[in-house]
Amino acid sequence: MTFKEIAFAASLTLAASGATAQDDISATLFAVDISGSVGHLFDQIVADETAEYVEGYIAGLDHPHRLWMLSFGEPGLAHRIINIKATVSDRRASNARTLSAQFSGYFRALPSLVQSGDLSPQNTTSIIEFLEAIEPVCARGGTRMVMFTDGIEWSSTVDGRALMSGAASLPAPRDEYLRGCHVEMLGVGQVKGTLSAEGLAGRLVPQWEGFLEAAGADTVLVTGSFFNF
């Protein structure tokens, strides 16, 4: 599935809920998994595919539109290594074309940042804690969250090894704290080349679909076929 196909799928998901990108979505949060198992930190091809999606997405936005790029991995706000905010406007310095190049450029640079030591991959993947932390963002409404992650919860909440093997499943969310957010989770089950991804997407995609829907997300799109295909 290419980034254009995913964007089309997202538009269909919004349409099915009665929402459109123009009249309902006024902000986008790009949530970037920086744990040590994800491909976009180590594989330039994967990072470029991610960047291509981000560039095409932002280039098609109308103004004003708030953008936020935020990392997750270890729990706690102190560990948000990436935290970039901008607003699409009609000015040259912050129009959709300019910001699309800036945001996509950062995604393309992720592997080189890791190689240079300027970005250190984190040892845990607290996806659920991150989702709970953005409840106030969702409560404002009109936000689409695009998550780039392998979907492997590896934290005090879930044993990552057991989740990968199929011996454990995601827990139920505590409540509907994602109400007000349209959520896309891209790259589920697609891990860096030194790890085995056999069967991961097939196990994790339906689990995350069920989790996000139970957590109250207005619309949900989860795919494991975004990266490295």
Side-chain angles (χ1 to χ4, degrees):
M1 183 180 288
T2 67
F3 84 93
K4 290 182 180 178
E5 290 170 327
I6 290 175
F8 179 67
S11 68
L12 291 180
T13 304
L14 287 170
S17 70
T20 68
Q22 277 195 326
D23 61 21
D24 187 71
I25 305 298
S26 59
T28 298
L29 168 59
F30 296 114
V32 187
D33 187 343
I34 59 169
S35 60
S37 60
V38 294
H40 54 260
L41 293 187
F42 305 97
D43 188 324
Q44 191 61 55
I45 294 175
V46 179
D48 288 343
E49 289 177 345
T50 310
E52 185 179 11
Y53 175 87
V54 171
E55 185 171 11
Y57 180 95
I58 296 176
L61 294 174
D62 292 328
H63 62 82
H65 191 102
R66 299 189 308 279
L67 298 172
W68 192 7
M69 181 178 172
L70 192 62
S71 62
F72 64 93
E74 296 176 4
L77 292 176
H79 295 284
R80 303 292 183 239
I81 293 174
I82 303 171
N83 190 348
I84 303 170
K85 292 183 179 180
T87 299
V88 177
S89 74
D90 59 352
R91 302 177 61 183
R92 177 178 294 182
S94 55
N95 62 24
R97 181 176 180 179
T98 298
L99 291 180
S100 68
Q102 292 175 351
F103 273 73
S104 65
Y106 197 92
F107 275 92
R108 293 184 195 280
L110 288 174
S112 62
L113 290 173
V114 171
Q115 291 173 8
S116 67
D118 292 322
L119 192 158
S120 298
Q122 298 188 341
N123 295 320
T124 59
T125 315
S126 299
I127 303 173
I128 294 174
E129 186 270 348
F130 174 79
L131 293 172
E132 292 175 345
I134 66 161
E135 181 175 9
V137 176
C138 294
R140 294 197 295 264
T143 296
R144 176 183 287 165
M145 178 170 61
V146 184
M147 304 186 73
F148 300 98
T149 178
D150 55 23
I152 302 171
E153 173 77 18
W154 198 307
S155 63
S156 60
T157 304
V158 176
D159 183 327
R161 288 187 180 87
L163 183 65
M164 290 183 71
S165 69
S169 300
L170 295 174
R174 57 171 169 76
D175 55 38
E176 296 185 340
Y177 52 80
L178 293 179
R179 189 166 299 282
C181 276
H182 303 268
V183 182
E184 299 176 21
M185 185 177 280
L186 310 181
V188 171
Q190 308 305 314
V191 294
K192 69 178 182 180
T194 57
L195 300 174
S196 173
E198 184 177 357
L200 269 180
R203 291 194 295 272
L204 294 180
V205 167
Q207 287 192 50
W208 279 114
E209 287 175 338
F211 184 96
L212 296 171
E213 290 167 358
D218 292 6
T219 61
V220 171
L221 174 68
V222 181
T223 178
S225 59
F226 181 60
F227 300 127
N228 245 357
F229 280 82

